[in-house]
Amino acid sequence: MTIPVVSRRSFLQLGVAGAGTAVLHGALPSGGSASAGSISVPAGNGDTLVVEPSPFRLRLVDAAGVDIVATVPGTSLNPAYGPVVTGPEPLAPLGPLGGFPALGFVVAAHPGLQFPASYWTGNRLFGASGGAIVPVVGVKDVRRSGKSTVLALETDVQVGSPPTLTIAPLPGNGVVMQVGAPPSLPSAATMFSLQSPAGEGLYGLGGRKDAFDQRGLLRQVWTEEENVGAGDLKPVSRPVLGSTYTFPNGPQAAYYVQAALFGSRGWAAWIGQPALSMLDLAASRPEIVRWSVAERSFTLFLAGGGLEQASRSFTAVAGRAPAPPKYVYLPWMDVINQQSEGDAAPDGGGFTGGSAVRTRVLEVVSQSQALDLPVSVIGMEGWQAVPGVADLAASLREQGYHLSAYWNPFISPSNAVYKEAAALGVLVRDAAGQPFEMVDNRGSATTVVDFTNPKAVSWWRGQLERSMALGFEAFMHDYGEFVQQGMVFHDGSPPAIEHNAYPVQYHFAARNAVNAWAQAHPGFEPFFYVRSGFSNLGLSPGVAGATSGVFPGDELTDWGRGDGLASVVPCMLNLSLGGCFTFSTDVGGYLDLYSPQTTPELFTRWVQLASLSAVSRIHNSSVHGSVYPWDLGDEVVGTYRRYSRAKVKLASLVDSWSQEASTIGSVGPVRPLVLDDPAALGVGDQWLLGSDILVAPVLEEGATSRLVYLPTASRWQQVVVGDDGSLVDEGTPQDGGRSIEVPAPLSDIPIFLRV
């Protein structure tokens, strides 16, 4: 499966009937303005991309000629770039003295090291980028080719053949630009700089947990094994590293990354290459965003039209998965394998806790029925090792339960099909042509499937069919962040490119498998959700095109802003703008290596949060043992019962918003407040469920009240969750456009309905 990239031919063919070609200044829409000699390309929705030829500048403007987003003016005064450091704590030592070109090419070195083993296999342990910037300062020549505009660019030094910029309108809204480096220039990176006025919110970039508005931060786009957390070291680490630090890879890491940035002024910018991106989000210079891509050339997309329209333009390229079946939005409980994770295919090699899993599954059924707790989906990790799994699955299906399995791409040498996979050549290889052995986060030697090989895609389909044949309609498709130096892939892709591309290929293999099975088995309703992800590969979709289902990955069983309960909401909001609308958190937290077992208070607050989001799924915990409502006392059972009943009542609302998101690309059921109220651009701990339910979860231990922002231009009625799950009025309506302190006893979180 070769990584798809945008070719020059595809640019020349891109466009729709009626889309205009480049024109000189004077043909802007009424009210537009640009300098003499500027070049204009229609960008849909009444917007226009204006190219200022001297000094070089790109401006996406609205119908009135007002900038939606623009680069800085091109100048030859660009000092050296770097050394910009990547890894656990990104650093730009030069700060405002560094180079910030409108568009430039970096003659640089990119040394880097990755974690070779254990939890952080494939993460960037250390990296640096430094060198001289060759900036673009003007336009030398313009020509049209079909609906594309091809510019020969001028740099501030002689580079032989000039760099090129090819621009084409995107169908619907926005433009796509292919930047080609000068052939004679030994550049290692390409970069551009956008103007971003003080106070503008900057969102997206995938599942970022430490902040929704990431202005003032440094980011790298590199999918990574994430939150282990500082645990008992937090009292020591917090004063030095901040409250969002996670050990050892820093707060900026994410399992699911997207090379897509959204601005609160109503624009989106995204890159089509899986190479490492590094972003300075107005951290070094307060009104400039600098974006570097470790490639000689790249594909840049720009879209405006407002924040939701910009998100829609992004998902039109990055992919919109089918809406999940409605059962996904009903309450579910997972049973994890406490004794070991093991391989997922095909015999569950390494899973040794099958009997315990079976016992716990039967307990979930009996206790939920006895306590009248709504449960529609039961997840069964380690299902391969469960005694009598076929009969158990059939019995659960007859009782009306939907079942969820678990898969990962590891094939250890002790696995029953290792020899088969190796003989077929479907495993990633080393330089000697042998299966590449790595140490996974369980400390075991293993190999991984190579999804750049078409044989691997069909072979993986056969593996996934094993769980589907038993009646498991859903599954977790775990991992995918581990590609490291030394791996050799079937299609020749270097590890530096394959690292971010691997999740796309891995998860599309699952999409192909479930589509084929569903087509052959009418009535089968497949769904899978993932941890790793990337945005898009050129004009080909990313993981969001394979599935909208995502979980933030291994949250700690604590309240931390970097790794616990408080990290869930920013992650969910950033992913919502990127088309990942079926967000599922591990209720109660999962990873408890350095934190205690889930407490009744933490579990209660997590249940309340999840019940008013897309998916409510209990999945805990890895060391101290899973906990369920009946393990934590009658008060927890009562709260869970009420909120789960509310989840059932809200499932149709969530499903309708998901259907819309999958078809027209609107932001799904969980909606950042800034979509409704520009004044809420910094609110990252609340959301709207649909258009009219305002949710303000409690994220601090011991809190019995919290500050709630009520969006402007509306009045808001506070409600509580009744015994039957209905939302019952509490008090009198409140005016919007302000923040108020709201009581939040353990029994309820603040919820408001738009009057």
Side-chain angles (χ1 to χ4, degrees), residues 4 95 142 277 380 537 659 701 728:
V142 183
S277 279
M380 201 183 307
L537 307 178
Q659 296 287 343
E701 186 175 13
V728 182

Side-chain angles (χ1 to χ4, degrees), residues 694-715:
L694 177 68
V695 185
V698 174
L699 305 173
E700 294 184 9
E701 186 175 13
T704 56
S705 67
R706 65 153 290 169
L707 198 65
V708 178
Y709 179 78
L710 302 177
T712 192
S714 296
R715 301 191 76 209

Side-chain angles (χ1 to χ4, degrees), residues 486-521:
M487 288 185 169
V488 177
F489 291 89
H490 176 79
D491 72 349
S493 300
I497 298 300
E498 188 63 26
H499 184 88
N500 283 338
Y502 187 93
V504 181
Q505 298 155 351
Y506 168 42
H507 299 317
F508 263 100
R511 170 52 58 189
N512 292 338
V514 299
N515 284 352
W517 187 268
Q519 184 175 6
H521 299 80

Side-chain angles (χ1 to χ4, degrees), residues 390-407:
D391 291 339
L392 176 62
S395 173
L396 294 172
R397 294 274 291 170
E398 289 174 1
Q399 295 177 64
Y401 293 102
H402 297 270
L403 303 180
S404 178
Y406 174 86
W407 290 92

